Amino acid sequence: MKLFEELGFHSRKLANVLSGLCQLNMRDRLFLILPRIPEWWLVNIACLRTGTVLLPGTSQLTARDILHRLQTSGAKCIITDESIAPLVEDVASQCPSLQSKILVSNRNRDGWRNLGDLMNNVASDHECVETRSDDPMTIFFTSGTTGLPKMTQHSHCSYGIGLTVNDQDVLWNTSDTGWAKSAWSSVYAPWIQGACVFIHHMPRFDSSTVLTTLSSYPISTFCTAPTAYRMLVQEDVAKYKFKSLQHCLCAGEPINPEVMKKWREATGLDIYEGYGQTETVLVAATFKGMKIKPGSFGKASPAYDVQVVDDDGAVLPRGEEGNLAIRVKPLKPFSLFTEYTGDPVKTEECYRGDFYLTGDRGVMDEDGYLWFVGRADDVILSAGYRIGPFEVENALIEHEAVAESAVVGSPDPIRGEVVKAFVVLTPEYRSHDKEQLVKDLKTHVKKMTSPYKYPRKVEFVEQLPKTISGKIRRVELRKREWGQI
């Protein structure tokens, strides 16, 4: 366990390393690739002290990914561990801006400076630089459906929204350290409230490890991705006793109501859903004390005026599907990203009238709750009907044979496109007759939702393509269906 004063002591020394030995000035950029270890948190704090712009990256990046990020960002320093060091060495000669390579390791390596040795040779007092609220603080590389990842820049005030935790809470957020969710839920949101952050150096998600950890440590608040909850409810959760756990959260993609139901039956705890993006931090959520509407991700956060708008930016009536959008005029919300650095065209494309468009489609009900329909490019148009993939996936997962599913549009000569479901079966059903299962699943979906939404095509797969952070890559499945890959 580390106290806040210890973090302060070590971060002051690390700040002296950055500004002194590495000669990083305010606004210089530092590329950080570390797993869930304490040094990752120390670098975050040290960069705040020095005004260094932090660029976090996941440990699953390839040499090509690292090259793109170093060249595009012009980062002057990289901090990483022994697993990533060889990849950096492969591309460093092509990155003229890179001046300092710092290694987090108990061993030395040629061409690298050891972080522990550097910190042992600097003072422990440091005076923070003066930054403005709109100065750049961090840049995340975020991927779209086309092109290379964009640099999404946030300022020193972007992450000023706290979670509903307090100084008695212990929060475990499982997000990878390369993603914006980790910055908010593992650093700023809990520490704004004085909460304790729990760290588990778990290289890959493992259901048994997670359940054992929740039952062995005083974790009061748990946050993970819907994919993780889908994996957890496949286990015998009821045999574990979570003595300290009080609040469960999810974000990253919509969570199926059936998964929420299974988790509540096994643990007695509800899952509270949140919705946000790399560009936005927390847009909306079902906060503590709010009524949970399964399938809805709640209401707008206090920082935002969220509306559903048409393609011209006009607000639509309640209950009508449209673009999920954030009002940015007359005042731009403090927590919205600053820009796609170096790409003013892409930045401008995000705005329509008085609104920032998230790129997601949704509906707002009469109570102000927001319901996710799908990414704007995920919505299926079949014989004049608009069909959101999430509703079909929700129906599918309520069938006991379905562990996971992903729904996309598939070309059809008559309807233009039809609904196709890629289904991962539960272990008990993997040996069942597949033709009969297809019939059963189609019948099941027709009963659970509007009949025109049922999947006319079903394909059983061993696993679904996912991003490093666990989100289902429907775009990959869609391209496969339309012969683009």
Side-chain angles (χ1 to χ4, degrees), residues 110-338:
D110 289 344
W112 292 76
R113 306 168 86 174
N114 186 280
L115 180 64
D117 293 343
L118 294 175
M119 290 180 64
N120 285 334
N121 292 301
V122 293
S124 60
D125 56 330
H126 179 270
E127 186 173 342
C128 293
V129 300
E130 293 186 4
T131 55
R132 292 172 51 87
S133 62
D134 57 358
D135 280 337
M137 181 187 76
T138 189
I139 293 175
F140 288 96
F141 282 84
T142 182
S143 298
T145 54
T146 60
L148 292 169
K150 303 182 292 293
M151 292 198 296
T152 308
Q153 180 178 299
H154 278 278
S155 70
H156 276 268
C157 67
S158 289
Y159 286 85
I161 306 175
L163 275 167
T164 49
V165 292
N166 57 49
D167 59 7
Q168 301 300 307
D169 281 311
V170 177
L171 168 66
W172 183 21
N173 169 53
T174 67
S175 300
D176 185 282
T177 51
W179 307 117
K181 181 69 169 65
S182 193
W184 186 62
S185 294
S186 295
V187 183
Y188 299 104
W191 283 354
I192 284 172
Q193 306 295 109
C196 174
V197 172
F198 181 85
I199 305 171
H200 195 304
H201 180 32
M202 183 172 54
R204 295 183 63 85
F205 186 90
D206 179 77
S207 298
S208 178
T209 299
V210 170
L211 293 171
T212 300
T213 301
L214 287 172
S215 63
S216 303
Y217 294 90
I219 298 163
S220 60
T221 302
F222 177 57
C223 184
T224 194
T227 296
Y229 280 112
R230 286 196 290 270
M231 295 170 66
L232 291 172
V233 297
Q234 298 297 318
E235 305 289 328
D236 184 8
V237 180
K239 74 177 184 180
Y240 295 88
K241 304 300 179 186
F242 307 139
K243 298 178 181 178
S244 300
L245 191 60
Q246 300 172 8
H247 194 50
C248 300
L249 306 163
C250 76
E253 60 178 338
I255 188 166
N256 310 98
E258 182 66 13
V259 174
M260 299 173 71
K261 177 183 175 184
K262 290 180 179 178
W263 181 258
R264 183 172 60 251
E265 289 173 347
T267 67
L269 297 167
D270 287 306
I271 298 174
Y272 289 77
E273 187 174 0
Y275 165 75
Q277 300 178 318
T278 302
E279 292 87 346
T280 62
V281 195
L282 184 68
V283 175
T286 303
F287 297 97
K288 279 183 179 179
M290 282 177 54
K291 175 184 177 182
I292 294 176
K293 292 188 177 184
S296 165
F297 53 78
K299 297 183 178 183
S301 81
Y304 288 129
D305 175 4
V306 180
Q307 299 292 336
V308 177
V309 305
D310 65 17
D311 291 340
D312 295 320
V315 177
L316 294 172
R318 298 286 175 98
E320 190 168 330
E321 180 192 321
N323 302 294
L324 292 173
I326 296 169
R327 192 181 297 277
V328 295
K329 295 179 181 178
L331 293 176
K332 183 179 178 181
F334 68 88
S335 48
L336 191 63
F337 80 123
T338 306

Side-chain angles (χ1 to χ4, degrees), residues 23-30 51-55 75-76:
Q23 298 183 323
L24 294 180
N25 297 314
M26 186 174 170
R27 292 179 177 249
D28 283 343
R29 295 169 182 171
L30 183 155
T52 307
V53 180
L54 182 66
L55 290 79
K76 292 186 176 181

